[in-house]
Amino acid sequence: GESVGLHLPTLSVQEGDNSIINCAYSNSASDYFIWYKQESGKGPQFIIDIRSNMDKRQGQRVTVLLNKTVKHLSLQIAATQPGDSAVYFCAENMRNDMRFGAGTRLTVKP
Amino acid sequence: EPEVTQTPSHQVTQMGQEVILRCVPISNHLYFYWYRQILGQKVEFLVSFYNNEISEKSEIFDDQFSVERPDGSNFTLKIRSTKLEDSAMYFCASRVTGDQPQHFGDGTRLSIL
């Protein structure tokens, strides 16, 4: 079936480096995607979203890139900090719900 | 900033008992959701609710599950006869419209003994 998935389950980076978290989706009709951050013991927290009429969207230290040709999106975190350590999920907005990928655990080493 | 609140944070229940998980969505939001996350796994959709009725439900949301918005602020998930495999984190979410991000509460950890 159609689904949203993550390329890598874990990512470890040095503090201050940039992080890139990837996500593949299979529903070519999807037009809205969201990245969430989930810290231990907390609910998913909205980071940034992007609609299919855009290729790139920037927030504070975060950038989301959407490649509709290969059905891929990525989350880039600039100057990664210890507080960025968490699990990151991409989510594909459906008509009445969202479908989450499996998540990537980002660990930031001091 | 307004947030979704969930109570209790942890619920321990005997197998076969009924449990009600409570949520207070953000006040101007119109769409409400319940999700489940088994330890170490991804977030799974259970049900969506709009205009006082269920919009969509997943295969997980069987006859043992029900949702209700009993007043203008609360949104509840009831599991009628709990099973061991119902043990999970349950997240409530809400959003203003169907094409805006969902905002999540911090969840209720449900432990079935």
Side-chain angles (χ1 to χ4, degrees):
Chain A
E2 297 186 323
S3 63
V4 179
L6 277 296
H7 287 310
L8 295 171
T10 61
L11 176 65
S12 183
V13 301
Q14 206 69 37
E15 181 179 357
D17 287 352
N18 297 334
S19 302
I20 300 176
I21 300 170
N22 297 302
C23 179
Y25 65 95
S26 56
N27 185 352
S28 56
S30 295
D31 61 1
Y32 181 44
F33 304 90
I34 308 103
W35 280 100
Y36 285 92
K37 171 186 181 184
Q38 187 177 27
E39 296 174 290
S40 181
K42 295 203 169 262
Q45 177 188 1
F46 170 78
I47 302 173
I48 192 167
D49 56 1
I50 189 166
R51 300 186 190 274
S52 59
N53 60 351
M54 302 174 72
D55 297 322
K56 179 180 178 178
R57 190 153 188 240
Q58 287 184 289
Q60 188 176 14
R61 282 201 306 119
V62 294
T63 301
V64 55
L65 300 178
L66 176 62
N67 185 331
K68 293 180 286 291
T69 303
V70 295
K71 290 181 283 188
H72 179 273
L73 66 158
S74 66
L75 176 71
Q76 300 178 0
I77 304 173
T80 315
Q81 302 168 1
D84 295 327
S85 293
V87 177
Y88 290 81
F89 294 95
C90 64
E92 181 180 9
N93 190 65
M94 312 296 284
R95 189 168 61 90
N96 289 314
D97 65 82
M98 282 194 309
R99 302 296 164 90
F100 283 78
T104 292
R105 179 173 297 282
L106 175 66
T107 302
V108 182
K109 296 179 288 188
Chain B
E1 184 175 323
E3 55 185 28
V4 176
T5 56
Q6 291 185 243
T7 55
S9 57
H10 190 191
Q11 174 78 47
V12 182
T13 301
Q14 291 288 331
M15 186 173 59
Q17 295 297 304
E18 175 184 285
V19 66
I20 298 176
L21 309 183
R22 302 179 191 279
C23 170
V24 179
I26 295 173
S27 62
N28 64 331
H29 287 190
L30 300 177
Y31 295 76
F32 313 110
Y33 307 84
W34 282 101
Y35 292 84
R36 179 182 83 174
Q37 186 178 34
I38 294 171
L39 185 64
Q41 298 186 21
K42 67 178 181 181
V43 178
E44 300 175 286
F45 167 73
L46 290 178
V47 65
S48 58
F49 192 86
Y50 170 72
N51 200 27
N52 284 319
E53 62 183 23
I54 291 174
S55 311
E56 187 160 341
K57 55 186 180 180
S58 71
E59 293 175 353
I60 303 168
F61 194 89
D62 62 21
D63 291 345
Q64 294 301 311
F65 290 85
S66 62
V67 290
E68 193 176 34
R69 189 157 162 81
D71 53 43
S73 60
N74 291 285
F75 180 51
T76 62
L77 174 69
K78 181 194 289 187
I79 309 174
R80 245 177 294 279
S81 178
T82 50
K83 302 187 278 285
L84 292 176
E85 53 264 38
D86 294 326
S87 295
M89 284 291 289
Y90 288 81
F91 292 106
C92 173
S94 68
R95 57 181 170 181
V96 178
T97 63
D99 63 350
Q100 293 293 316
Q102 295 183 21
H103 295 266
F104 286 77
D106 281 338
T108 293
R109 179 174 299 282
L110 179 62
S111 300
I112 307 301
L113 305 179

